[in-house]
Structure formats: structure tokens, C-alpha cells
Amino acid sequence: MSDSGVYKFIRGRLPRPCAIHASAARALAFLLVLTGALSLSAADQPIAYSHKKHIAMGLQCIDCHSMADIGPAATIPSVAKCMLCHATFGTDKPEVKKIAEYAAKGREIPWQRVYGFEKQALVKFNHAPHVRAKVECATCHGDMTQADTAQKLVNHNMGTCLTCHRQKGASQDCATCHY
Ligand code: HEC
Ligand code: HEC
Ligand code: HEC
Ligand code: HEC
Ligand code: HEC
């Protein structure tokens, strides 16, 4: 797993010393806290993370969901990955302080899952072959570049799986998708 996208971002954005007068920076930060606070109310997650904002900064899906091209699960990034940037960026913001508190306690952020199957459906899904076959994330998850915290934008059922498997000549054996 590679953090290179995140490191490239940090190198590109670290402020040069004395680039901004400190008090001006504090005033700007205060303004951002005020505007930030207004948009937080809709979140039912422990932290008001925004996909839209982070992707607008140039981050790729794989920078955070770093197993999607190599493993069965795409994975949710650990709090340590957030802290690669948030030890430096936005440290005075209430939502970012919460991230630092989880990290300081050595706890992961308890994100609520959005997608997944009932245990009794006995489904096995694997991201990697789909990403390698160039099936876009958006085909199965909708346009996450415009989302704040994730919403279920696409329903996953046997019909949606099989329709595409038929079209693309992928396996339709029961054992491909079921234990
Ligand atoms: C590659 C760097 C980077 C990574 C990784 C990153 N962020 Fe950010 N994030 C930023 C930057 C830069 C901002 C804007 C900070 C500012 O406005 O001062 C930001 C803003 C935020 C804000 C909004 C703060 C506010 O109130 O305006 C939240 C919340 C946030 N990030 C959560 C997270 C979480 C949770 C993670 C981990 C899953 C994460 N971020 C990972 C760079 C990053
Ligand atoms: C062919 C459809 C499909 C594609 C393409 C796909 N996903 Fe998924 N994704 C799923 C399904 C189905 C689940 C639920 C899997 C489960 O719970 O077993 C899921 C779950 C997830 C999760 C939850 C955590 C996890 O690992 O289970 C994340 C995050 C995620 N996908 C991100 C991505 C990203 C990023 C991409 C593109 C790089 C992507 N997905 C491409 C179908 C897809
Ligand atoms: C800076 C890190 C970061 C980036 C970049 C990122 N995500 Fe996420 N993603 C998260 C976090 C944190 C969560 C858990 C909070 C939530 O549900 O929004 C999440 C949740 C998700 C989920 C819901 C998974 C589930 O079942 O709960 C999907 C789907 C997803 N992301 C897809 C994407 C796609 C597609 C992209 C690229 C367009 C992307 N993400 C880019 C951090 C990121
Ligand atoms: C938009 C098209 C599309 C959708 C939707 C889709 N798949 Fe696939 N699936 C593919 C393609 C293409 C492959 C790769 C075939 C290959 O590598 O030869 C694949 C491969 C797989 C594999 C690996 C098969 C193997 O031989 O290793 C599994 C498991 C799988 N899909 C399960 C699912 C499940 C479960 C769903 C529904 C939740 C789903 N797929 C939805 C296109 C899709
Ligand atoms: C390409 C993937 C795929 C293949 C192939 C597939 N299924 Fe499914 N199947 C699924 C998914 C995904 C679900 C779960 C739907 C849900 O949770 O809503 C499911 C659900 C089911 C259910 C309902 C389980 C429940 O508790 O709701 C049955 C029964 C089932 N499949 C039987 C089969 C049989 C029999 C075959 C072979 C003829 C087969 N499936 C082939 C993906 C697949």
C-alpha cells in the first residue's frame, strides 16, 4: 500500500515560513471555522468528512481506499492516514481536533458502513478484479466526487451484478459470488 499521493499533496502545499503574516493567517482560519460550522449539520458520521472537498484538492480514490486495486476490500482509511495531513492542516478546526483526539487515544474513527450484504446472502465480493478490468468506482458507487460523507447512491443486488457479468463475459457461476 502506498501513501505517495498523500505525500505529494503535502509537499506541494506546506506553507513557506513567513509566507503569510501570522495574525492574518489566524483571522483567515477563524473565518474558515465559521463557514465550516454552518455546513456540518447533515452528517450522521462521527466526523463531517467531505469527499467533495478532498477530491477537489486533487486526491484520488485509491490514495485513501488503498486496497481497491489489490484486495477484496477497498478499505476505509485509518486515522493515521488522516493525520499525515491533519497534524499540519486545519489543526484549529473543531472537526479536525476530533481526528487528533482519536489519534491521541490510539482509537480508530468509528465510521458507519454504507454498503455491504446481509451475512445470510453468503455473498463474496472482490474489488481488485473489477478495478483491474477498468470498471469505474462510479459505476457501483455513483459520483462520489460530489458527496460529503458517503451515501448509498447505487443499490447492489444479484440483478445488477449479473447484468454486467453477462455483458462483459465475466463468470455467472454461483460459486463466483457465493460461499
Ligand atoms: C492529503 C492531505 C489530506 C488528507 C490525507 C486528509 N485531509 Fe482532510 N483536509 C485537508 C486539507 C488541506 C483541508 C483544508 C484545511 C483548512 O481548510 O485549513 C482538509 C479539511 C478537512 C476537514 C474540514 C475542516 C473544516 O472544518 O473546515 C475535515 C473534517 C477533514 N479534512 C477530515 C479528514 C479526515 C477524516 C481524513 C482521513 C480520512 C482526512 N481529512 C484526510 C487535507 C487532507
Ligand atoms: C463492481 C462494483 C464495484 C466497483 C467497480 C467498486 N466497488 Fe466498492 N464496493 C462494492 C461492493 C459490492 C461493496 C460492498 C462489499 C462488501 O461489503 O462485501 C463495496 C464496498 C466499498 C467500500 C467499503 C469498504 C470495503 O472495503 O468494503 C469502499 C470504501 C469502496 N467500496 C470503495 C470503492 C472504490 C474507491 C472503488 C474504485 C477504485 C470501488 N469501490 C469500486 C462494489 C464496487
Ligand atoms: C481523504 C480520503 C478519502 C478519499 C480521497 C476518498 N475517500 Fe471514500 N471514504 C473516506 C472515508 C473516511 C470514508 C468513511 C466515511 C464515509 O462514509 O463517508 C469513506 C467512505 C467511502 C464509501 C462508503 C463505504 C461504506 O460502505 O461505508 C465509498 C463508496 C467511498 N468512500 C468511495 C470513494 C470514491 C469512489 C472515492 C474517489 C472518487 C473516494 N471514496 C475518495 C475517505 C476517502
Ligand atoms: C459494471 C460491471 C460489473 C458489475 C456491476 C459487477 N461486476 Fe463482477 N466482474 C466484472 C468484470 C469485468 C470482472 C472481471 C472478469 C475478469 O477478470 O476476467 C468481474 C469479476 C468478478 C469477480 C471475480 C471473478 C473471478 O473469476 O475471480 C467476482 C467475485 C465478482 N466479479 C463479483 C461481483 C459481484 C458480487 C457483483 C455485484 C455486487 C459484481 N461482481 C458486479 C464486472 C462487473
Ligand atoms: C455476479 C455475482 C452473483 C452470481 C454469479 C450469483 N449471485 Fe446470487 N446474489 C448475488 C448478490 C450480490 C446477492 C445479494 C443481494 C442482496 O443482498 O440484496 C445474491 C443473492 C442471492 C440469493 C438470495 C439470498 C438472500 O438471503 O436474500 C440467492 C438465493 C442467490 N443469490 C442464489 C444464487 C444462485 C443459485 C446462483 C447461481 C445460479 C447465484 N446466486 C449467482 C450475487 C451473485
Side-chain angles (χ1 to χ4, degrees), residues 1 9 35 101 103 108 116 128:
M1 142 176 22
F9 175 94
T35 51
E101 280 164 25
E108 284 301 333

Side-chain angles (χ1 to χ4, degrees), residues 5-7 9-10 13 32-33 36-37 40 47-50 53-54 57 59 64 77-79 81-86 89-96 99 109 111:
V6 172
Y7 287 124
F9 175 94
I10 297 172
R13 268 167 234 234
L32 286 171
V33 168
L40 298 182
I47 290 171
Y49 167 76
S50 167
K53 278 190 197 161
H54 286 80
M57 293 169 200
L59 290 180
C64 286
S78 72
V79 68
K81 180 152 288 183
C82 311
M83 288 302 286
L84 287 177
C85 287
H86 285 296
F89 297 109
T91 50
D92 53 349
K93 311 225 160 129
E95 290 299 294
V96 171
I99 304 174
I109 301 164
W111 301 112

Side-chain angles (χ1 to χ4, degrees), residues 116-118 120-124 156-162 165 171-178:
F117 302 106
E118 301 288 339
Q120 60 268 25
L122 297 175
V123 173
K124 54 178 169 185
H156 296 155
N157 55 43
M158 185 154 137
T160 53
C161 309
L162 278 175
H165 276 219
S171 168
Q172 296 173 48
D173 286 349
C174 314
T176 299
C177 305
H178 291 287

Side-chain angles (χ1 to χ4, degrees), residues 51 61-62 65 68-69 72-77 113-117 123-127 130-131 134-141 156 161 164-165:
H51 277 84
C61 311
I62 298 273
H65 302 294
D69 56 341
T75 69
I76 304 283
R113 281 292 308 270
V114 175
Y115 289 100
F117 302 106
V123 173
K124 54 178 169 185
F125 179 74
N126 189 344
H127 275 87
H130 295 95
V131 176
K134 307 252 184 302
V135 181
E136 303 279 341
C137 311
T139 306
C140 299
H141 295 298
H156 296 155
C161 309
C164 181
H165 276 219

